[in-house]
């Protein structure tokens, strides 16, 4: 084999190595390919695709797709090269988890429920209290054995990506996302009153404000954007292509949301003018 032939052969091997799920899913005749990152990106791009519909029921699918994308990006951020990081131990995953970070004293996790007007929501945040020692030798992640068949819940994943002491400190430059109370309330509403109610629909007549969906969608996009571009926790198979697809989808969804919001305000204004006459 000559030098030129050898070079071309190596080039082909290199091309195969950088090929990702995006290409495989467009080339394979009989299978779909997915990992936790492609799963998240696909849901984000799917949310964008629903804006092509002209009826208001598109918002049901936009919410479902965005919710799934947020969940998946949280999982991708927490996995950090070790899938066991995102496996559930059962109920109360973040209650009394014992860890030691660096030279710190051991700490025990405490769940802080998120309240809306004194009402408890499924959302929570994690705080850590110093303790003198672990309750049992070498216990660093809680006393219960992980359930290898079950993923942590949406709310556990969302709580952990906000934790800047332990869960989001897997890498040197890792950063936790900051979600304000107002933003978390918006995510709670979208998840519980829109996504869950529509997915597990009890027979009834139900109206949902589109402007509220738009506002919640913006919060979700903000969290996804931080996890992807600023948390430094997600390990993409094809970094540049994945980042480009996510950036494009977020920017286009934001534009669609702005246009939809302007259309609603314009329709409300015209209706008000008609009523005045």
């Amino acid at each position: 084999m000559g030098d030129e032939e050898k070079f071309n052969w190596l080039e082909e091997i290199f091309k195969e190595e950088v090929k990702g799920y995006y290409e495989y899913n467009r080339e394979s005749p009989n299978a779909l390919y997915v990992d936790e990152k492609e799963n998240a990106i696909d849901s984000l791009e799917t949310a964008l695709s629903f804006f092509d519909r002209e009826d208001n029921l598109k918002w049901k699918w936009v919410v479902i797709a965005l919710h799934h994308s947020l969940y998946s990006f949280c999982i991708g951020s927490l996995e950090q090269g070790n899938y066991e990081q995102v496996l559930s131990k059962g109920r109360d995953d973040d209650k009394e988890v014992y860890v030691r970070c660096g030279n710190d004293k051991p700490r025990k996790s405490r769940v802080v429920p998120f309240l809306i007007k004194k009402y408890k929501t499924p959302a929570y945040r994690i705080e850590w209290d110093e303790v003198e020692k672990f309750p049992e030798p070498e216990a660093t992640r809680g006393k219960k054995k992980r359930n290898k068949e079950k993923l942590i819940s949406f709310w556990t994943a969302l709580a952990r990506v906000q934790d800047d002491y332990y869960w989001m400190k897997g890498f040197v430059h890792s950063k936790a996302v900051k979600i304000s109370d107002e933003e978390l309330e918006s995510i709670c509403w979208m998840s519980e009153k829109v996504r869950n109610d529509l997915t597990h629909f009890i027979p009834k007549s139900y109206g949902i404000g589109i402007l509220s969906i738009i506002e919640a969608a913006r919060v979700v996009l903000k969290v996804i954007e931080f996890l992807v571009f600023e948390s430094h926790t997600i390990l993409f198979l094809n970094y540049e292509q994945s980042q480009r697809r996510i950036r494009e989808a977020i920017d286009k969804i934001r534009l669609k949301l702005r246009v939809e919001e302007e259309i609603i305000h314009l329709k409300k204004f015209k209706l008000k003018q008609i009523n005045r006459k």
Side-chain angles (χ1 to χ4, degrees):
M1 182 182 291
D3 289 341
E4 185 176 347
E5 288 179 296
K6 187 182 292 185
F7 175 79
N8 291 337
W9 177 76
L10 289 172
E11 188 179 61
E12 288 305 310
I13 293 295
F14 179 74
K15 284 180 181 177
E16 277 297 310
E17 287 178 351
V18 298
K19 186 179 289 187
Y21 294 100
Y22 182 83
E23 289 83 6
Y24 285 130
N25 284 314
R26 281 153 180 76
E27 296 173 4
S28 173
N30 61 353
L32 66 88
Y33 296 89
V34 67
D35 69 355
E36 66 277 8
K37 277 81 74 172
E38 185 63 26
N39 202 26
I41 298 171
D42 174 65
S43 290
L44 185 64
E45 292 176 332
T46 299
L48 173 61
S49 71
F50 285 121
F51 282 96
D52 292 336
R53 286 179 54 166
E54 296 183 0
D55 60 294
N56 286 345
L57 279 171
K58 68 187 176 189
W59 293 104
K60 174 179 75 171
W61 298 108
V62 169
V63 166
I64 290 172
L66 282 179
H67 182 278
H68 184 261
S69 184
L70 174 58
Y71 187 11
S72 300
F73 275 118
C74 287
I75 295 300
S77 293
L78 294 164
E79 181 254 345
Q80 298 176 22
N82 177 11
Y83 80 98
E84 290 191 354
Q85 291 270 65
V86 293
L87 298 181
S88 174
K89 300 189 301 293
R91 294 184 62 186
D92 301 322
D93 266 319
D94 287 315
K95 186 178 180 181
E96 296 186 4
V97 175
Y98 291 83
V99 302
R100 185 199 297 273
C101 295
N103 295 322
D104 290 354
K105 283 186 175 182
R107 295 196 184 193
K108 180 177 71 172
S109 66
R110 174 163 47 87
V111 169
V112 181
F114 179 66
L115 306 179
I116 299 177
K117 297 178 181 178
K118 297 183 180 180
Y119 291 99
K120 187 177 179 181
T121 72
Y124 64 91
R125 293 188 175 101
I126 302 167
E127 292 186 1
W128 299 89
D129 300 318
E130 284 190 358
V131 294
E132 289 303 315
K133 59 181 181 179
F134 290 122
E136 57 185 61
E138 300 179 1
T140 57
R141 293 182 183 275
K143 295 176 283 187
K144 296 179 182 178
K145 187 178 180 180
R146 278 187 172 74
N147 178 353
K148 294 191 176 183
E149 302 299 322
K150 187 176 180 182
L151 190 69
I152 57 173
S153 72
F154 171 78
W155 296 111
T156 296
L158 193 66
R160 289 183 181 181
V161 295
Q162 297 175 74
D163 175 45
D164 60 2
Y165 179 74
Y166 179 67
W167 291 108
M168 289 292 278
K169 284 298 181 182
F171 303 122
V172 175
H173 301 293
S174 300
K175 295 179 183 177
V177 64
K178 295 188 183 301
I179 303 175
S180 69
D181 286 354
E182 184 178 358
E183 290 169 339
L184 193 52
E185 182 174 345
S186 192
I187 292 174
C188 285
W189 175 80
M190 188 185 83
S191 179
E192 296 297 297
K193 298 301 181 183
V194 186
R195 185 263 182 188
N196 286 359
D197 271 5
L198 292 177
T199 303
H200 310 284
F201 198 75
I202 298 172
K204 59 186 170 183
S205 295
Y206 194 35
I208 304 169
I210 294 174
L211 289 175
S212 296
I213 292 177
I214 290 173
E215 185 56 37
R218 286 182 173 135
V219 173
V220 168
L221 290 176
K222 177 184 172 183
V223 176
I224 290 174
E225 186 174 45
F226 184 92
L227 293 175
V228 173
F229 298 104
E230 297 183 55
S231 74
H232 307 295
T233 56
I234 302 181
L235 304 173
F236 290 104
L237 176 65
N238 189 322
Y239 183 83
E240 290 185 3
Q241 185 189 69
S242 296
Q243 295 248 325
R244 184 170 62 251
R245 289 169 62 196
I246 296 164
R247 177 79 276 159
E248 184 177 337
I250 289 175
D251 289 346
K252 285 184 177 180
I253 292 173
R254 280 188 172 139
L255 177 60
K256 297 284 188 182
L257 292 173
R258 186 163 68 247
V259 170
E260 293 283 351
E261 184 179 43
E262 289 173 356
I263 290 172
I264 291 172
H265 285 308
L266 181 60
K267 286 180 178 178
K268 289 172 70 176
F269 175 77
K270 287 182 177 180
L271 187 61
K272 197 176 288 185
Q273 294 296 99
I274 291 172
N275 290 336
R276 282 178 181 175
K277 293 178 181 179

